[in-house]
Amino acid sequence: MSDLDLDAARPHMTALADTLQSAGVIHTPQWVDAFAAVPRHHFVPTWFEQEINARGITVWRQQRARTDDKHLAAAYRDITLVTALDPSTAEQVDDTAWTGFPVSSSTLPSLMAAMLEDLTVRKGHRVLEIGTGTGYNTALLCARLGDRLVHSIDVDPDLTDTARTRLQQLGHTPYLAAGDGQKGIPEADRFDRIIATCSVPAIPEAWIEQARPGAIILTDIALGIAGGLVRLGVDEHHRAIGHFTATAGSFMPARTDAHVYPQAHRPERAPQADTRPTALTAADIQAHYPLKLLLAFHLPETELVYHLDDTTGTTSIQLQRSDGAWARVPFTDDRTVTYGGSPDLWKQAETAWRWWNTRGRPTQDNFGYGREANGNASVWYIPDGTRWHLNTH
């Protein structure tokens, strides 16, 4: 990167840091300085933005962070920038547009900043980052802690190599590795902090083994219907105990192979059984993230999808299980649920809804999360200890 590139970007870097500080997302001076010093556009020179093209097709249009003010400003917006599409689904439709599914991105800066604050790093802390990605978050950690204390791993060796080059161009030389981040970096010493920018269904054993007693793990736990960021402390008994954070965010699933992307399993659905009135609406679920999280506690091995009725054009929220059971409520004023298979699926959702309301609609940071030394995990409502056991095997 030339000095001219940095000079042109510096006002945008400073503006981003000021915006994050004014919004209360970051309050530690060292993190403000880091965001003002690290050029995001250097790590995300191109990205994809979703649009509807002239033929009415939803596509991903490639954008570039050129050095003119307009394009640089686009790179420093507080949004997630999609940086790669699944090559098995990507299809080019014109010179700069593709169809396909996102598989890599640069997280929106406000979420990154909130997570870095939640990590509560101190001088001398050794940090393991799971999911190097573009290298932008790695560079922020380097700016705060120094290169020798930062270790990062990504399943995709191409991403790792590109990030290494871009980091070196800015004078940073952290320890980077290519491999399955759920296995950590076994050859490294133990860590004081572990932060993951991917989701996992459970805390991997390797992270516990590579964490010093008193270490903090910050990651996105995927629980089916919804997941959330958890901040966990590791004790001398190999337990990781903490809570969901006030910061809400989600990440793409962790992968064990750079060239294999998760594919949704769509079993055959049971035929429609009945329709009945319900107090729980699609709008309720859509509007309240803590409710979605609570539904995940009550309904393990259930997923939430959006269903479009080809006949009426009505969109609904649908809960569905691998045994074929499903239940669907529309985004209309019609307070009805239509279901197939077991009627208990939506009854359990209504039970969760009533539980949440009777306790004053608690936010997600009122729920704890714990992983025992044997790998068993559970979540609980902190004020009264109501507990749900999770299937982690």
Side-chain angles (χ1 to χ4, degrees):
M1 169 175 289
S2 68
D3 291 337
L4 178 62
D5 289 333
L6 275 177
D7 288 342
R10 205 170 302 282
H12 300 284
M13 296 152 59
T14 301
L16 175 60
D18 290 344
T19 297
L20 296 174
Q21 186 177 29
S22 298
V25 180
I26 48 175
H27 48 81
T28 306
Q30 294 93 328
W31 283 129
V32 177
D33 293 342
F35 274 91
V38 177
R40 189 188 193 197
H41 78 284
H42 176 65
F43 294 94
V44 195
T46 63
W47 66 90
F48 297 92
E49 293 187 1
Q50 199 171 51
E51 66 173 50
I52 306 296
N53 71 4
R55 292 185 290 166
I57 300 172
T58 301
V59 299
W60 293 95
R61 180 77 60 186
Q62 190 174 53
Q63 310 292 328
R64 294 183 180 277
R66 302 180 183 90
T67 54
D68 63 275
D69 211 51
K70 174 184 175 182
H71 288 89
L72 278 173
Y76 287 87
R77 291 169 297 170
D78 188 25
I79 63 172
T80 295
L81 299 177
V82 172
T83 54
L85 304 174
D86 179 353
S88 68
T89 63
E91 181 178 340
Q92 191 165 4
V93 295
D94 62 41
D95 289 345
T96 61
W98 286 259
T99 58
F101 298 101
V103 292
S104 186
S105 64
S106 174
T107 305
L108 71 161
S110 58
L111 176 54
M112 295 172 60
M115 291 179 66
L116 290 170
E117 284 284 5
D118 284 339
L119 201 60
T120 58
V121 296
R122 299 288 182 267
K123 183 178 180 180
H125 277 169
R126 299 181 78 250
V127 176
L128 170 60
E129 177 191 37
I130 311 297
T132 310
T134 67
Y136 179 46
N137 198 63
T138 315
L140 292 167
L141 287 165
C142 289
R144 172 71 195 271
L145 295 170
D147 300 355
R148 68 180 183 83
L149 295 174
V150 178
H151 299 65
S152 185
I153 184 169
D154 198 288
V155 70
D156 191 331
D158 292 335
L159 286 179
T160 306
D161 289 343
T162 300
R164 179 180 289 109
T165 298
R166 290 172 179 163
L167 286 160
Q168 289 175 346
Q169 288 170 343
L170 293 178
H172 292 305
T173 56
Y175 183 97
L176 298 186
D180 180 1
Q182 294 176 88
K183 297 179 181 178
I185 303 179
E187 66 270 21
D189 196 1
R190 292 202 286 178
F191 298 95
D192 301 289
R193 298 290 187 267
I194 297 175
I195 180 171
T197 53
C198 56
S199 69
V200 291
I203 303 298
E205 175 69 22
W207 295 4
I208 304 294
E209 293 293 331
Q210 294 171 38
R212 291 174 176 157
I216 298 297
I217 295 176
L218 186 64
T219 188
D220 176 17
I221 291 290
L223 299 176
I225 290 174
L229 297 174
V230 292
R231 184 184 188 275
L232 311 174
V234 180
D235 65 20
E236 65 274 13
H237 303 294
H238 286 206
R239 297 177 300 183
I241 300 172
H243 59 87
F244 288 85
T245 70
T247 302
S250 62
F251 290 87
M252 296 176 186
R255 292 182 284 137
T256 59
D257 188 300
H259 306 293
V260 177
Y261 301 96
Q263 300 295 322
H265 177 56
R266 294 288 181 263
E268 183 177 348
R269 295 288 155 215
Q272 181 174 326
D274 201 359
T275 297
R276 66 170 175 82
T278 180
L280 175 58
T281 69
D284 292 324
I285 297 173
Q286 180 77 357
H288 301 295
Y289 161 65
L291 174 59
K292 289 183 189 176
L293 192 61
L294 188 64
L295 289 173
F297 302 164
H298 280 253
L299 294 164
E301 300 180 8
T302 303
E303 64 176 343
L304 183 155
V305 300
Y306 293 91
H307 178 272
L308 176 64
D309 189 307
D310 294 332
T311 303
T312 65
T314 301
T315 301
S316 303
I317 276 183
Q318 178 168 299
L319 301 183
Q320 55 190 37
R321 290 196 309 239
S322 58
D323 64 1
W326 57 272
R328 180 187 308 148
V329 287
F331 282 100
T332 66
D333 293 333
D334 183 15
R335 289 176 171 264
T336 60
V337 57
T338 302
Y339 61 91
S342 171
D344 290 339
L345 177 58
W346 196 254
K347 288 179 181 178
Q348 289 175 281
E350 290 170 322
T351 297
W353 165 243
R354 288 191 296 269
W355 187 97
W356 189 59
N357 278 289
T358 58
R359 283 159 178 80
R361 298 189 171 191
T363 54
Q364 69 273 9
D365 51 328
N366 283 279
F367 295 96
Y369 180 97
R371 180 199 186 277
E372 299 298 327
N374 61 7
N376 291 336
S378 60
V379 293
W380 60 91
Y381 181 49
I382 294 170
D384 67 15
T386 301
R387 186 174 293 264
W388 300 266
H389 296 281
L390 303 175
N391 182 8
T392 57
H393 302 289

